[in-house]
């Protein structure tokens, strides 16, 4: 599955760069030079958790956008930007600033290939049986890039890539739930609760989120609004139509809703805090590769351990991640998270001491 992960990351990284360049090339208030474009691209990549690019890659991206494989874009000719060193640098702006790659009406062969590759990856890696029915050529013929402006599009399908995948019973509902979210329709969901008892709820869904090989539906119910409801898809028994009105999605529920936490459980106090962990050096290479959270700062190395800081809202999933590594991780800050880990450790000791 590492190949699938690499392909997804490669295309995601490239699309971020193309979107940034597209925005810069359309600007009517500033003329961007190569250093400006490089800075804008790297800021966007860093924000999304990717490594920056070098100037060589920038020029490759511009050439690709100009080519038939890309979008055959045209730039203003002889556009110069004066510098303080008595010479001018080349500036980049679309010949027609109304043009946007996000509104390109048709896909070229290269873009179709990329989408085919992504769909094949999804089919083979997701465990969603309905995707086997997809005709890739038909899909690619029908797809269009950016029917809406980026800021107006809704992202409702959030995936975290894991090292391995598996099929699970909830997978049969993904496509149906996705369509209900997209069409903004409330639905009645029958599922088993934490006590393994059957329960039903009418929910207006907003996001599908994958974490730790499980999919979750986030939405709001009439009874508990404005609080959100989270349902694991593998707990769903049935989905039924309802005439109940759809509750409009609150503005704070967007693609960044889970940004400041590990997993899917949003704590009552979701304000990010400085979380400092002391990690033994022998396990640090593994934890570094499996980055706990995107806010991880460069570590401080000591003789037998490293100290790592995150900006994150502590929750149950973060506690579980820390406890998973046992004596190899110690919480330094914040005090309340440290106390919570100690409390759970004491409870574990009590359970072991009372075990027969």
């Amino acid at each position: 599955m590492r190949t699938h992960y690499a392909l997804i990351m490669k295309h995601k990284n490239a699309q971020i760069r193309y979107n940034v360049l597209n925005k810069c090339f359309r600007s009517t208030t500033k003329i961007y030079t190569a250093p400006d474009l490089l800075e804008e691209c790297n800021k966007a990549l860093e924000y999304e958790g990717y490594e920056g690019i070098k100037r060589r890659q920038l020029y490759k991206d511009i050439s690709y956008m100009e080519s038939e494989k890309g979008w055959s874009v045209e730039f203003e000719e002889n556009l110069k930007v004066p510098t303080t060193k008595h010479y001018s640098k080349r500036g980049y702006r679309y010949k027609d600033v109304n043009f946007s790659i996000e509104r390109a009406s048709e896909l070229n062969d290269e873009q179709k290939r990329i989408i085919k590759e992504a769909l094949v990856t999804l089919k083979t890696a997701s465990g969603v049986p309905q995707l086997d029915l997809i005709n890739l050529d038909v899909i690619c013929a029908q797809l269009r890039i950016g029917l809406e402006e980026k800021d107006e599009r809704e992202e409702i399908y959030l995936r975290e890539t894991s090292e391995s995948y598996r099929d699970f019973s909830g997978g049969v509902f993904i496509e149906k739930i996705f369509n209900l979210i997209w069409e903004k329709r409330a639905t009645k969901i029958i599922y088993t609760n934490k006590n393994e008892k059957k329960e039903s709820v009418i929910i207006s869904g907003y996001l599908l989120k994958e974490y730790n090989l499980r999919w979750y539906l986030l939405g709001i119910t009439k009874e508990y609004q404005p609080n959100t409801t989270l349902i694991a898809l593998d707990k769903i028994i049935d989905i039924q139509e309802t005439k109940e009105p759809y509750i409009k999605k609150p503005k704070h529920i967007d693609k960044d809703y889970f940004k400041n936490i590990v997993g899917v459980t949003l704590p009552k106090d979701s304000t990010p805090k400085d979380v400092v962990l002391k990690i033994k050096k022998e396990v640090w290479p593994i934890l570094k590769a499996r980055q706990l959270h995107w806010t991880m700062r460069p570590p401080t190395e000591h003789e037998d351990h490293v100290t790592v800081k995150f900006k994150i809202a502590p929750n149950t999933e973060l506690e579980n991640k820390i406890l998973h590594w046992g004596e190899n991780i110690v919480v330094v800050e914040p005090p309340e998270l440290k106390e919570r880990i100690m409390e759970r450790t004491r409870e574990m000791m009590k359970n072991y001491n009372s075990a027969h």
Side-chain angles (χ1 to χ4, degrees), residues 252-308:
H252 71 282
I253 299 178
D254 57 16
K255 64 184 177 64
D256 293 328
Y257 185 77
F258 298 98
K259 181 180 176 181
N260 296 319
I261 62 170
V262 171
V264 294
T265 306
L266 204 69
K268 288 183 179 179
D269 180 10
S270 58
T271 306
K273 298 177 175 62
D274 285 333
V275 172
V276 181
L277 303 178
K278 180 180 174 182
I279 303 171
K280 286 189 177 180
K281 273 198 172 178
E282 49 263 43
V283 301
W284 168 239
I286 303 172
L287 284 162
K288 183 181 179 181
R290 301 178 183 178
Q291 195 176 64
L292 184 66
H293 194 256
W294 67 272
T295 58
M296 186 175 77
R297 298 293 180 261
T300 302
E301 297 208 16
H302 304 274
E303 186 176 345
D304 61 348
H305 70 277
V306 297
T307 303
V308 186

Side-chain angles (χ1 to χ4, degrees), residues 134-351:
I134 286 179
N135 183 317
L136 298 181
D137 291 317
V138 172
I139 290 292
C140 289
Q142 293 174 341
L143 278 173
R144 293 173 182 272
I145 293 178
L147 296 178
E148 305 169 68
E149 287 292 337
K150 182 179 179 184
D151 292 340
E152 296 173 2
R153 288 203 299 269
E154 290 187 281
E155 296 191 43
I156 62 176
Y157 197 64
L158 310 179
R159 175 153 206 150
E160 291 190 6
T161 306
S162 305
E163 289 186 351
S164 61
Y165 296 83
R166 65 165 182 244
D167 291 346
F168 58 94
S169 59
V172 300
F173 295 113
I174 276 191
E175 187 176 14
K176 190 169 186 178
I177 292 175
F178 182 93
N179 289 333
L180 288 166
I181 296 174
W182 189 257
E183 295 165 7
K184 294 181 171 58
R185 287 194 286 146
T187 185
K188 181 178 181 179
I189 290 182
I190 301 167
Y191 65 102
T192 53
N193 60 24
K194 291 180 180 179
N195 300 319
E196 296 303 316
K197 292 183 178 179
K198 189 181 294 187
E199 198 170 311
S200 67
V201 65
I202 294 176
I203 187 169
S204 298
Y206 308 128
L207 294 173
L208 278 166
K209 176 78 165 84
E210 187 261 351
Y211 174 70
N212 200 24
L213 301 177
R214 294 182 81 192
W215 282 98
Y216 298 84
L217 168 65
L218 178 85
I220 284 181
T221 64
K222 186 177 180 180
E223 293 80 6
Y224 298 109
Q225 63 176 317
N227 297 326
T228 56
T229 296
L230 194 71
I231 301 175
L233 266 61
D234 55 359
K235 292 291 185 179
I236 295 176
I237 300 170
D238 192 20
I239 295 178
Q240 299 175 359
E241 291 186 10
T242 178
K243 293 184 179 179
E244 287 287 328
Y246 183 82
I247 300 171
K248 186 178 178 182
K249 183 174 73 172
K251 289 184 178 179
H252 71 282
I253 299 178
D254 57 16
K255 64 184 177 64
D256 293 328
Y257 185 77
F258 298 98
K259 181 180 176 181
N260 296 319
I261 62 170
V262 171
V264 294
T265 306
L266 204 69
K268 288 183 179 179
D269 180 10
S270 58
T271 306
K273 298 177 175 62
D274 285 333
V275 172
V276 181
L277 303 178
K278 180 180 174 182
I279 303 171
K280 286 189 177 180
K281 273 198 172 178
E282 49 263 43
V283 301
W284 168 239
I286 303 172
L287 284 162
K288 183 181 179 181
R290 301 178 183 178
Q291 195 176 64
L292 184 66
H293 194 256
W294 67 272
T295 58
M296 186 175 77
R297 298 293 180 261
T300 302
E301 297 208 16
H302 304 274
E303 186 176 345
D304 61 348
H305 70 277
V306 297
T307 303
V308 186
K309 181 184 286 188
F310 303 85
K311 196 75 172 179
I312 193 171
N315 64 355
T316 303
E317 286 93 325
L318 176 60
E319 293 174 17
N320 293 342
K321 288 277 189 181
I322 292 170
L323 288 168
H324 171 80
W325 291 96
E327 74 282 3
N328 293 299
I329 295 183
V330 174
V331 176
V332 180
E333 294 179 21
E336 57 270 26
L337 176 60
K338 182 176 181 179
E339 179 55 39
R340 177 64 183 150
I341 295 295
M342 291 172 66
E343 181 183 330
R344 290 183 63 177
T345 305
R346 286 193 291 267
E347 190 64 30
M348 289 168 62
M349 289 286 292
K350 188 190 301 182
N351 291 341

